[in-house]
Amino acid sequence: MIDLYFWPTPNGWKITIMLEETKLPYRLVPVDLSKGEQHTPDFLAISPNGRMPAIVDHDGPDGAPISIFESGAILQYLGDKSGMLYPRERRARTAVEQWLFWQNAGLGPMAGQRAHFSYQKEKIPYAIERYTNETKRLYEVADKRLAQSEYLAGDEFSIADIAAWPWTRGYKNLGIDPETLPNWRRWFKAVGAREGVARGANIGKDDFAKRQSEMLDAGSTP
Ligand SMILES: N[C@@H](CCC(=O)N[C@@H](CS)C(=O)NCC(=O)O)C(=O)O
């Protein structure tokens, strides 16, 4: 059983999508960011950066529990554990890793900063413009890439797509007209239509209680 320390945000959904796609059994553990639960000593012991998502796999590589923070590292771990969506062959694996890091170091932080500055009472036009432009540029990078290949890392759907997809759900807030990015649009629809993605991406606050009772019904121990 894997414990996923989760709150419904794009970084959290990366991991619910991955777990739904791979069908690895998991339990949601809420980390209510609005109550500051990411700063508690128990959570910091698992995620020293004080951010979710994080996981504890009670059946780690050597059979002992392992905790992991940083969504990219979690996706890599779950890809290897499941043998899915993260190829072992070096060339294919490198392609996945570069687009995964592109998301974790580029699209995620830039879109995150754009949202942060846009929702503040005090508006700082330079900051809003800088992060909006940079996020739009990254959408264009994705669109160009997706003109060459079906998915970000090539012909196969991978953890790189899982990392990027939840971060492009906010395209309307950015004022992006999907017609101008036809390759991104095709990819966005195709990825969103996958069963596991649709399930994982809709997990929200209500699911904590629902999941717990489903697991109790199924007789599994949380
Ligand atoms: N690089 C981290 C970023 C994680 C992150 O920023 N998580 C946000 C929610 S999307 C968070 O926990 N924020 C809590 C806070 O800012 O105190 C990852 O990819 O896991």
Side-chain angles (χ1 to χ4, degrees):
M1 177 63 77
I2 293 168
D3 288 341
L4 168 60
Y5 290 79
F6 172 84
W7 199 243
T9 76
N11 283 322
W13 285 313
K14 291 177 191 174
I15 312 304
T16 47
I17 289 173
M18 181 64 179
L19 288 163
E20 292 291 339
E21 281 282 331
T22 55
K23 298 196 165 56
L24 289 166
Y26 70 102
R27 178 179 89 124
L28 290 173
V29 183
V31 184
D32 189 337
L33 302 181
S34 66
K35 292 190 185 145
E37 287 177 2
Q38 68 275 33
H39 305 303
T40 62
D42 282 356
F43 182 65
L44 289 171
I46 293 164
S47 183
N49 195 32
R51 299 279 187 274
M52 72 89 229
I55 63 166
V56 175
D57 180 2
H58 294 280
D59 179 23
D62 45 9
I66 184 171
S67 64
I68 309 169
F69 68 101
E70 280 295 326
S71 59
I74 298 169
L75 289 173
Q76 288 176 310
Y77 176 82
L78 296 175
D80 281 341
K81 184 178 174 84
S82 62
M84 292 168 69
L85 310 179
Y86 187 26
R88 298 219 69 89
E89 190 271 314
R90 196 60 252 181
R91 192 172 284 274
R93 196 169 174 91
T94 300
V96 169
E97 285 164 350
Q98 64 189 359
W99 286 100
L100 178 67
F101 280 68
W102 171 83
Q103 190 289 317
N104 272 69
L107 180 62
M110 294 302 130
Q113 292 300 320
R114 190 209 68 86
H116 172 84
F117 282 108
S118 303
Y119 299 136
Q120 297 307 307
K121 268 199 200 118
E122 186 202 347
K123 301 284 182 229
I124 306 173
Y126 176 80
I128 296 174
E129 197 182 317
R130 152 108 186 127
Y131 290 117
T132 301
N133 289 345
E134 184 60 7
T135 309
K136 284 185 170 167
R137 188 189 69 78
L138 290 163
Y139 271 68
E140 285 160 14
V141 171
D143 186 67
K144 279 205 187 93
R145 166 61 181 166
L146 292 163
Q148 301 161 347
S149 62
E150 197 72 9
Y151 295 102
L152 283 172
D155 292 336
E156 303 291 333
F157 177 69
S158 76
I159 56 173
D161 301 293
I162 291 182
W165 190 85
W167 278 99
T168 67
R169 275 167 123 189
Y171 67 92
K172 282 186 194 149
N173 293 337
L174 264 173
I176 285 186
D177 174 3
E179 300 293 326
T180 62
L181 301 172
N183 307 296
W184 165 78
R185 183 168 174 254
R186 174 209 28 93
W187 168 89
F188 182 72
K189 284 189 165 180
V191 172
R194 292 177 67 96
E195 225 179 277
V197 174
R199 268 202 312 274
N202 281 317
I203 289 181
K205 291 177 197 168
D206 298 345
D207 287 86
F208 300 118
K210 207 175 109 220
R211 287 271 170 162
Q212 301 277 12
S213 68
E214 271 170 12
M215 278 191 306
L216 289 174
D217 287 349
S220 63
T221 14

